[in-house]
PDB file of all heavy atoms in Angstrom:
ATOM      1  N   MET Z  17      10.790  75.374   5.749  1.00  0.00           N
ATOM      2  CA  MET Z  17       9.723  74.765   6.518  1.00  0.00           C
ATOM      3  C   MET Z  17       9.155  75.778   7.504  1.00  0.00           C
ATOM      4  O   MET Z  17       7.946  75.821   7.690  1.00  0.00           O
ATOM      5  CB  MET Z  17      10.240  73.529   7.280  1.00  0.00           C
ATOM      6  CG  MET Z  17      10.565  72.323   6.413  1.00  0.00           C
ATOM      7  SD  MET Z  17       9.181  71.668   5.484  1.00  0.00           S
ATOM      8  CE  MET Z  17       8.100  71.128   6.785  1.00  0.00           C
ATOM      9  N   ARG Z  20       6.939  78.050   5.726  1.00  0.00           N
ATOM     10  CA  ARG Z  20       5.901  77.345   4.954  1.00  0.00           C
ATOM     11  C   ARG Z  20       5.874  77.842   3.516  1.00  0.00           C
ATOM     12  O   ARG Z  20       4.826  78.018   2.909  1.00  0.00           O
ATOM     13  CB  ARG Z  20       4.514  77.477   5.596  1.00  0.00           C
ATOM     14  CG  ARG Z  20       4.375  76.950   6.997  1.00  0.00           C
ATOM     15  CD  ARG Z  20       4.466  75.463   7.134  1.00  0.00           C
ATOM     16  NE  ARG Z  20       3.444  74.771   6.355  1.00  0.00           N
ATOM     17  CZ  ARG Z  20       3.538  73.522   5.979  1.00  0.00           C
ATOM     18  NH1 ARG Z  20       4.596  72.822   6.287  1.00  0.00           N
ATOM     19  NH2 ARG Z  20       2.588  72.946   5.283  1.00  0.00           N
ATOM     20  N   SER Z  21       7.069  78.058   2.973  1.00  0.00           N
ATOM     21  CA  SER Z  21       7.202  78.567   1.613  1.00  0.00           C
ATOM     22  C   SER Z  21       8.508  78.068   1.016  1.00  0.00           C
ATOM     23  O   SER Z  21       9.495  77.883   1.727  1.00  0.00           O
ATOM     24  CB  SER Z  21       7.199  80.096   1.633  1.00  0.00           C
ATOM     25  OG  SER Z  21       7.577  80.607   0.373  1.00  0.00           O
ATOM     26  N   THR Z  22       8.502  77.862  -0.301  1.00  0.00           N
ATOM     27  CA  THR Z  22       9.742  77.491  -0.993  1.00  0.00           C
ATOM     28  C   THR Z  22      10.479  78.730  -1.475  1.00  0.00           C
ATOM     29  O   THR Z  22      11.556  78.615  -2.057  1.00  0.00           O
ATOM     30  CB  THR Z  22       9.434  76.576  -2.188  1.00  0.00           C
ATOM     31  OG1 THR Z  22       8.560  77.257  -3.087  1.00  0.00           O
ATOM     32  CG2 THR Z  22       8.824  75.279  -1.722  1.00  0.00           C
ATOM     33  N   PHE Z  25      13.318  79.275  -4.349  1.00  0.00           N
ATOM     34  CA  PHE Z  25      14.117  78.085  -4.614  1.00  0.00           C
ATOM     35  C   PHE Z  25      13.401  77.138  -5.570  1.00  0.00           C
ATOM     36  O   PHE Z  25      12.184  77.062  -5.586  1.00  0.00           O
ATOM     37  CB  PHE Z  25      14.471  77.371  -3.306  1.00  0.00           C
ATOM     38  CG  PHE Z  25      15.411  78.153  -2.460  1.00  0.00           C
ATOM     39  CD1 PHE Z  25      14.940  78.941  -1.424  1.00  0.00           C
ATOM     40  CD2 PHE Z  25      16.772  78.136  -2.703  1.00  0.00           C
ATOM     41  CE1 PHE Z  25      15.789  79.689  -0.647  1.00  0.00           C
ATOM     42  CE2 PHE Z  25      17.641  78.883  -1.930  1.00  0.00           C
ATOM     43  CZ  PHE Z  25      17.149  79.661  -0.903  1.00  0.00           C
ATOM     44  N   SER Z  26      14.194  76.405  -6.327  1.00  0.00           N
ATOM     45  CA  SER Z  26      13.672  75.455  -7.301  1.00  0.00           C
ATOM     46  C   SER Z  26      13.707  74.043  -6.720  1.00  0.00           C
ATOM     47  O   SER Z  26      14.631  73.687  -5.994  1.00  0.00           O
ATOM     48  CB  SER Z  26      14.521  75.513  -8.568  1.00  0.00           C
ATOM     49  OG  SER Z  26      14.185  74.456  -9.424  1.00  0.00           O
ATOM     50  N   GLY Z  27      12.724  73.247  -7.092  1.00  0.00           N
ATOM     51  CA  GLY Z  27      12.704  71.851  -6.684  1.00  0.00           C
ATOM     52  C   GLY Z  27      13.399  70.935  -7.674  1.00  0.00           C
ATOM     53  O   GLY Z  27      13.492  69.723  -7.440  1.00  0.00           O
ATOM     54  N   TYR Z  30      16.109  68.315  -6.533  1.00  0.00           N
ATOM     55  CA  TYR Z  30      15.585  67.127  -5.861  1.00  0.00           C
ATOM     56  C   TYR Z  30      15.033  66.130  -6.876  1.00  0.00           C
ATOM     57  O   TYR Z  30      15.230  64.928  -6.741  1.00  0.00           O
ATOM     58  CB  TYR Z  30      14.487  67.498  -4.864  1.00  0.00           C
ATOM     59  CG  TYR Z  30      14.902  68.581  -3.887  1.00  0.00           C
ATOM     60  CD1 TYR Z  30      14.177  69.756  -3.777  1.00  0.00           C
ATOM     61  CD2 TYR Z  30      16.025  68.421  -3.077  1.00  0.00           C
ATOM     62  CE1 TYR Z  30      14.554  70.740  -2.882  1.00  0.00           C
ATOM     63  CE2 TYR Z  30      16.409  69.409  -2.189  1.00  0.00           C
ATOM     64  CZ  TYR Z  30      15.665  70.565  -2.093  1.00  0.00           C
ATOM     65  OH  TYR Z  30      16.036  71.537  -1.223  1.00  0.00           O
ATOM     66  N   ILE Z  31      14.347  66.645  -7.886  1.00  0.00           N
ATOM     67  CA  ILE Z  31      13.782  65.786  -8.933  1.00  0.00           C
ATOM     68  C   ILE Z  31      14.914  65.085  -9.686  1.00  0.00           C
ATOM     69  O   ILE Z  31      14.866  63.880  -9.929  1.00  0.00           O
ATOM     70  CB  ILE Z  31      12.919  66.624  -9.905  1.00  0.00           C
ATOM     71  CG1 ILE Z  31      11.659  67.156  -9.202  1.00  0.00           C
ATOM     72  CG2 ILE Z  31      12.565  65.842 -11.158  1.00  0.00           C
ATOM     73  CD1 ILE Z  31      10.636  66.103  -8.854  1.00  0.00           C
ATOM     74  N   GLN Z  66      15.614  61.670  -1.210  1.00  0.00           N
ATOM     75  CA  GLN Z  66      15.168  62.641  -2.216  1.00  0.00           C
ATOM     76  C   GLN Z  66      13.639  62.691  -2.276  1.00  0.00           C
ATOM     77  O   GLN Z  66      13.061  63.765  -2.441  1.00  0.00           O
ATOM     78  CB  GLN Z  66      15.745  62.306  -3.587  1.00  0.00           C
ATOM     79  CG  GLN Z  66      17.242  62.477  -3.693  1.00  0.00           C
ATOM     80  CD  GLN Z  66      17.729  63.849  -3.272  1.00  0.00           C
ATOM     81  OE1 GLN Z  66      17.107  64.869  -3.518  1.00  0.00           O
ATOM     82  NE2 GLN Z  66      18.882  63.890  -2.624  1.00  0.00           N
ATOM     83  N   LEU Z  67      13.008  61.549  -2.142  1.00  0.00           N
ATOM     84  CA  LEU Z  67      11.543  61.516  -2.153  1.00  0.00           C
ATOM     85  C   LEU Z  67      10.979  62.291  -0.961  1.00  0.00           C
ATOM     86  O   LEU Z  67      10.005  63.030  -1.101  1.00  0.00           O
ATOM     87  CB  LEU Z  67      11.049  60.068  -2.149  1.00  0.00           C
ATOM     88  CG  LEU Z  67       9.593  59.851  -2.496  1.00  0.00           C
ATOM     89  CD1 LEU Z  67       9.226  60.484  -3.839  1.00  0.00           C
ATOM     90  CD2 LEU Z  67       9.272  58.369  -2.509  1.00  0.00           C
ATOM     91  N   VAL Z  68      11.612  62.159   0.197  1.00  0.00           N
ATOM     92  CA  VAL Z  68      11.189  62.933   1.374  1.00  0.00           C
ATOM     93  C   VAL Z  68      11.364  64.424   1.104  1.00  0.00           C
ATOM     94  O   VAL Z  68      10.478  65.237   1.402  1.00  0.00           O
ATOM     95  CB  VAL Z  68      11.962  62.500   2.638  1.00  0.00           C
ATOM     96  CG1 VAL Z  68      11.741  63.471   3.795  1.00  0.00           C
ATOM     97  CG2 VAL Z  68      11.561  61.086   3.046  1.00  0.00           C
ATOM     98  N   TYR Z  69      12.511  64.817   0.526  1.00  0.00           N
ATOM     99  CA  TYR Z  69      12.747  66.230   0.197  1.00  0.00           C
ATOM    100  C   TYR Z  69      11.683  66.744  -0.765  1.00  0.00           C
ATOM    101  O   TYR Z  69      11.176  67.863  -0.623  1.00  0.00           O
ATOM    102  CB  TYR Z  69      14.129  66.442  -0.423  1.00  0.00           C
ATOM    103  CG  TYR Z  69      15.296  66.139   0.480  1.00  0.00           C
ATOM    104  CD1 TYR Z  69      16.497  65.695  -0.053  1.00  0.00           C
ATOM    105  CD2 TYR Z  69      15.223  66.298   1.856  1.00  0.00           C
ATOM    106  CE1 TYR Z  69      17.586  65.415   0.757  1.00  0.00           C
ATOM    107  CE2 TYR Z  69      16.301  66.015   2.667  1.00  0.00           C
ATOM    108  CZ  TYR Z  69      17.480  65.576   2.117  1.00  0.00           C
ATOM    109  OH  TYR Z  69      18.553  65.306   2.911  1.00  0.00           O
ATOM    110  N   ILE Z  70      11.338  65.942  -1.757  1.00  0.00           N
ATOM    111  CA  ILE Z  70      10.322  66.350  -2.737  1.00  0.00           C
ATOM    112  C   ILE Z  70       8.975  66.521  -2.065  1.00  0.00           C
ATOM    113  O   ILE Z  70       8.247  67.490  -2.330  1.00  0.00           O
ATOM    114  CB  ILE Z  70      10.251  65.333  -3.905  1.00  0.00           C
ATOM    115  CG1 ILE Z  70      11.522  65.431  -4.752  1.00  0.00           C
ATOM    116  CG2 ILE Z  70       9.015  65.562  -4.770  1.00  0.00           C
ATOM    117  CD1 ILE Z  70      11.704  64.293  -5.739  1.00  0.00           C
ATOM    118  N   ILE Z  71       8.624  65.620  -1.159  1.00  0.00           N
ATOM    119  CA  ILE Z  71       7.349  65.729  -0.439  1.00  0.00           C
ATOM    120  C   ILE Z  71       7.327  66.992   0.406  1.00  0.00           C
ATOM    121  O   ILE Z  71       6.340  67.745   0.391  1.00  0.00           O
ATOM    122  CB  ILE Z  71       7.104  64.465   0.423  1.00  0.00           C
ATOM    123  CG1 ILE Z  71       6.821  63.264  -0.485  1.00  0.00           C
ATOM    124  CG2 ILE Z  71       5.967  64.684   1.414  1.00  0.00           C
ATOM    125  CD1 ILE Z  71       6.857  61.927   0.221  1.00  0.00           C
ATOM    126  N   LEU Z  72       8.407  67.264   1.130  1.00  0.00           N
ATOM    127  CA  LEU Z  72       8.471  68.475   1.961  1.00  0.00           C
ATOM    128  C   LEU Z  72       8.434  69.733   1.105  1.00  0.00           C
ATOM    129  O   LEU Z  72       7.744  70.707   1.439  1.00  0.00           O
ATOM    130  CB  LEU Z  72       9.736  68.461   2.826  1.00  0.00           C
ATOM    131  CG  LEU Z  72       9.792  67.393   3.908  1.00  0.00           C
ATOM    132  CD1 LEU Z  72      11.154  67.392   4.588  1.00  0.00           C
ATOM    133  CD2 LEU Z  72       8.682  67.599   4.927  1.00  0.00           C
ATOM    134  N   PHE Z  73       9.180  69.727   0.001  1.00  0.00           N
ATOM    135  CA  PHE Z  73       9.196  70.884  -0.896  1.00  0.00           C
ATOM    136  C   PHE Z  73       7.797  71.123  -1.450  1.00  0.00           C
ATOM    137  O   PHE Z  73       7.308  72.259  -1.468  1.00  0.00           O
ATOM    138  CB  PHE Z  73      10.188  70.650  -2.038  1.00  0.00           C
ATOM    139  CG  PHE Z  73      10.387  71.841  -2.920  1.00  0.00           C
ATOM    140  CD1 PHE Z  73      11.370  72.774  -2.636  1.00  0.00           C
ATOM    141  CD2 PHE Z  73       9.588  72.042  -4.041  1.00  0.00           C
ATOM    142  CE1 PHE Z  73      11.559  73.887  -3.444  1.00  0.00           C
ATOM    143  CE2 PHE Z  73       9.765  73.152  -4.857  1.00  0.00           C
ATOM    144  CZ  PHE Z  73      10.757  74.077  -4.556  1.00  0.00           C
ATOM    145  N   THR Z  74       7.152  70.059  -1.905  1.00  0.00           N
ATOM    146  CA  THR Z  74       5.815  70.178  -2.489  1.00  0.00           C
ATOM    147  C   THR Z  74       4.797  70.649  -1.451  1.00  0.00           C
ATOM    148  O   THR Z  74       3.914  71.445  -1.766  1.00  0.00           O
ATOM    149  CB  THR Z  74       5.380  68.829  -3.111  1.00  0.00           C
ATOM    150  OG1 THR Z  74       6.383  68.427  -4.052  1.00  0.00           O
ATOM    151  CG2 THR Z  74       4.061  68.934  -3.822  1.00  0.00           C
ATOM    152  N   ALA Z  75       4.936  70.185  -0.215  1.00  0.00           N
ATOM    153  CA  ALA Z  75       4.009  70.597   0.846  1.00  0.00           C
ATOM    154  C   ALA Z  75       4.098  72.096   1.123  1.00  0.00           C
ATOM    155  O   ALA Z  75       3.099  72.726   1.486  1.00  0.00           O
ATOM    156  CB  ALA Z  75       4.303  69.812   2.126  1.00  0.00           C
ATOM    157  N   CYS Z  76       5.279  72.680   0.924  1.00  0.00           N
ATOM    158  CA  CYS Z  76       5.476  74.102   1.201  1.00  0.00           C
ATOM    159  C   CYS Z  76       5.345  74.982  -0.042  1.00  0.00           C
ATOM    160  O   CYS Z  76       5.439  76.202   0.058  1.00  0.00           O
ATOM    161  CB  CYS Z  76       6.849  74.322   1.829  1.00  0.00           C
ATOM    162  SG  CYS Z  76       7.021  73.564   3.439  1.00  0.00           S
ATOM    163  N   ALA Z  77       5.155  74.381  -1.192  1.00  0.00           N
ATOM    164  CA  ALA Z  77       5.114  75.140  -2.448  1.00  0.00           C
ATOM    165  C   ALA Z  77       3.734  75.727  -2.703  1.00  0.00           C
ATOM    166  O   ALA Z  77       2.726  75.219  -2.208  1.00  0.00           O
ATOM    167  CB  ALA Z  77       5.519  74.234  -3.605  1.00  0.00           C
ATOM    168  N   ASP Z  78       3.709  76.795  -3.516  1.00  0.00           N
ATOM    169  CA  ASP Z  78       2.423  77.330  -3.944  1.00  0.00           C
ATOM    170  C   ASP Z  78       1.809  76.371  -4.965  1.00  0.00           C
ATOM    171  O   ASP Z  78       2.442  75.412  -5.395  1.00  0.00           O
ATOM    172  CB  ASP Z  78       2.570  78.747  -4.518  1.00  0.00           C
ATOM    173  CG  ASP Z  78       3.512  78.813  -5.711  1.00  0.00           C
ATOM    174  OD1 ASP Z  78       3.469  77.914  -6.575  1.00  0.00           O
ATOM    175  OD2 ASP Z  78       4.288  79.783  -5.795  1.00  0.00           O
ATOM    176  N   LYS Z  79       0.566  76.626  -5.342  1.00  0.00           N
ATOM    177  CA  LYS Z  79      -0.168  75.679  -6.180  1.00  0.00           C
ATOM    178  C   LYS Z  79       0.526  75.409  -7.517  1.00  0.00           C
ATOM    179  O   LYS Z  79       0.618  74.263  -7.965  1.00  0.00           O
ATOM    180  CB  LYS Z  79      -1.591  76.185  -6.425  1.00  0.00           C
ATOM    181  CG  LYS Z  79      -2.454  75.177  -7.143  1.00  0.00           C
ATOM    182  CD  LYS Z  79      -3.882  75.654  -7.314  1.00  0.00           C
ATOM    183  CE  LYS Z  79      -4.670  74.583  -8.048  1.00  0.00           C
ATOM    184  NZ  LYS Z  79      -6.054  74.947  -8.201  1.00  0.00           N
ATOM    185  N   ALA Z  80       1.046  76.445  -8.157  1.00  0.00           N
ATOM    186  CA  ALA Z  80       1.701  76.261  -9.456  1.00  0.00           C
ATOM    187  C   ALA Z  80       2.943  75.381  -9.328  1.00  0.00           C
ATOM    188  O   ALA Z  80       3.178  74.494 -10.155  1.00  0.00           O
ATOM    189  CB  ALA Z  80       2.070  77.620 -10.051  1.00  0.00           C
ATOM    190  N   LYS Z  81       3.741  75.609  -8.263  1.00  0.00           N
ATOM    191  CA  LYS Z  81       4.937  74.795  -8.055  1.00  0.00           C
ATOM    192  C   LYS Z  81       4.563  73.362  -7.693  1.00  0.00           C
ATOM    193  O   LYS Z  81       5.259  72.421  -8.074  1.00  0.00           O
ATOM    194  CB  LYS Z  81       5.820  75.387  -6.953  1.00  0.00           C
ATOM    195  CG  LYS Z  81       6.769  76.459  -7.430  1.00  0.00           C
ATOM    196  CD  LYS Z  81       7.733  76.834  -6.322  1.00  0.00           C
ATOM    197  CE  LYS Z  81       8.653  77.945  -6.768  1.00  0.00           C
ATOM    198  NZ  LYS Z  81       9.543  78.396  -5.700  1.00  0.00           N
ATOM    199  N   LYS Z  82       3.470  73.197  -6.934  1.00  0.00           N
ATOM    200  CA  LYS Z  82       3.029  71.844  -6.575  1.00  0.00           C
ATOM    201  C   LYS Z  82       2.689  71.046  -7.824  1.00  0.00           C
ATOM    202  O   LYS Z  82       3.116  69.896  -7.970  1.00  0.00           O
ATOM    203  CB  LYS Z  82       1.795  71.896  -5.669  1.00  0.00           C
ATOM    204  CG  LYS Z  82       2.093  72.137  -4.242  1.00  0.00           C
ATOM    205  CD  LYS Z  82       0.840  72.104  -3.401  1.00  0.00           C
ATOM    206  CE  LYS Z  82       1.229  72.536  -2.007  1.00  0.00           C
ATOM    207  NZ  LYS Z  82       0.200  72.549  -1.048  1.00  0.00           N
ATOM    208  N   VAL Z  83       1.922  71.658  -8.707  1.00  0.00           N
ATOM    209  CA  VAL Z  83       1.535  70.976  -9.945  1.00  0.00           C
ATOM    210  C   VAL Z  83       2.773  70.639 -10.764  1.00  0.00           C
ATOM    211  O   VAL Z  83       2.907  69.515 -11.285  1.00  0.00           O
ATOM    212  CB  VAL Z  83       0.535  71.843 -10.750  1.00  0.00           C
ATOM    213  CG1 VAL Z  83       0.305  71.288 -12.130  1.00  0.00           C
ATOM    214  CG2 VAL Z  83      -0.771  71.983  -9.990  1.00  0.00           C
ATOM    215  N   ARG Z  84       3.696  71.582 -10.852  1.00  0.00           N
ATOM    216  CA  ARG Z  84       4.933  71.361 -11.620  1.00  0.00           C
ATOM    217  C   ARG Z  84       5.766  70.240 -11.003  1.00  0.00           C
ATOM    218  O   ARG Z  84       6.265  69.362 -11.697  1.00  0.00           O
ATOM    219  CB  ARG Z  84       5.738  72.655 -11.682  1.00  0.00           C
ATOM    220  CG  ARG Z  84       6.986  72.528 -12.519  1.00  0.00           C
ATOM    221  CD  ARG Z  84       7.600  73.898 -12.771  1.00  0.00           C
ATOM    222  NE  ARG Z  84       8.703  73.769 -13.689  1.00  0.00           N
ATOM    223  CZ  ARG Z  84       9.955  74.067 -13.374  1.00  0.00           C
ATOM    224  NH1 ARG Z  84      10.242  74.556 -12.192  1.00  0.00           N
ATOM    225  NH2 ARG Z  84      10.920  73.910 -14.254  1.00  0.00           N
ATOM    226  N   MET Z  85       5.923  70.266  -9.677  1.00  0.00           N
ATOM    227  CA  MET Z  85       6.711  69.239  -8.994  1.00  0.00           C
ATOM    228  C   MET Z  85       6.086  67.854  -9.156  1.00  0.00           C
ATOM    229  O   MET Z  85       6.788  66.875  -9.387  1.00  0.00           O
ATOM    230  CB  MET Z  85       6.854  69.566  -7.503  1.00  0.00           C
ATOM    231  CG  MET Z  85       7.815  70.699  -7.209  1.00  0.00           C
ATOM    232  SD  MET Z  85       9.517  70.345  -7.663  1.00  0.00           S
ATOM    233  CE  MET Z  85       9.958  69.156  -6.413  1.00  0.00           C
ATOM    234  N   LEU Z  86       4.765  67.782  -9.033  1.00  0.00           N
ATOM    235  CA  LEU Z  86       4.100  66.488  -9.195  1.00  0.00           C
ATOM    236  C   LEU Z  86       4.232  65.984 -10.633  1.00  0.00           C
ATOM    237  O   LEU Z  86       4.407  64.784 -10.862  1.00  0.00           O
ATOM    238  CB  LEU Z  86       2.638  66.583  -8.761  1.00  0.00           C
ATOM    239  CG  LEU Z  86       2.428  66.795  -7.250  1.00  0.00           C
ATOM    240  CD1 LEU Z  86       0.956  67.039  -6.945  1.00  0.00           C
ATOM    241  CD2 LEU Z  86       2.979  65.626  -6.451  1.00  0.00           C
ATOM    242  N   GLY Z  87       4.170  66.894 -11.599  1.00  0.00           N
ATOM    243  CA  GLY Z  87       4.379  66.520 -12.995  1.00  0.00           C
ATOM    244  C   GLY Z  87       5.798  66.023 -13.237  1.00  0.00           C
ATOM    245  O   GLY Z  87       6.008  65.015 -13.926  1.00  0.00           O
ATOM    246  N   LEU Z  88       6.778  66.708 -12.652  1.00  0.00           N
ATOM    247  CA  LEU Z  88       8.174  66.285 -12.797  1.00  0.00           C
ATOM    248  C   LEU Z  88       8.426  64.954 -12.086  1.00  0.00           C
ATOM    249  O   LEU Z  88       9.169  64.104 -12.594  1.00  0.00           O
ATOM    250  CB  LEU Z  88       9.109  67.366 -12.255  1.00  0.00           C
ATOM    251  CG  LEU Z  88       9.179  68.654 -13.083  1.00  0.00           C
ATOM    252  CD1 LEU Z  88       9.935  69.739 -12.323  1.00  0.00           C
ATOM    253  CD2 LEU Z  88       9.822  68.395 -14.435  1.00  0.00           C
ATOM    254  N   LEU Z  89       7.789  64.761 -10.936  1.00  0.00           N
ATOM    255  CA  LEU Z  89       7.917  63.491 -10.220  1.00  0.00           C
ATOM    256  C   LEU Z  89       7.342  62.350 -11.058  1.00  0.00           C
ATOM    257  O   LEU Z  89       7.960  61.280 -11.174  1.00  0.00           O
ATOM    258  CB  LEU Z  89       7.220  63.568  -8.864  1.00  0.00           C
ATOM    259  CG  LEU Z  89       7.247  62.308  -8.001  1.00  0.00           C
ATOM    260  CD1 LEU Z  89       8.672  61.875  -7.703  1.00  0.00           C
ATOM    261  CD2 LEU Z  89       6.472  62.539  -6.713  1.00  0.00           C
TER     262      LEU Z  89
END
Side-chain angles (χ1 to χ4, degrees):
M17 289 299 296
R20 301 291 301 159
S21 169
T22 59
F25 292 97
S26 170
Y30 308 123
I31 293 290
Q66 293 306 322
L67 194 54
V68 169
Y69 296 150
I70 290 168
I71 290 168
L72 293 174
F73 187 90
T74 305
C76 295
D78 59 41
K79 187 177 180 178
K81 275 188 182 176
K82 278 183 187 181
V83 170
R84 183 169 186 243
M85 286 296 288
L86 292 173
L88 290 170
L89 179 59

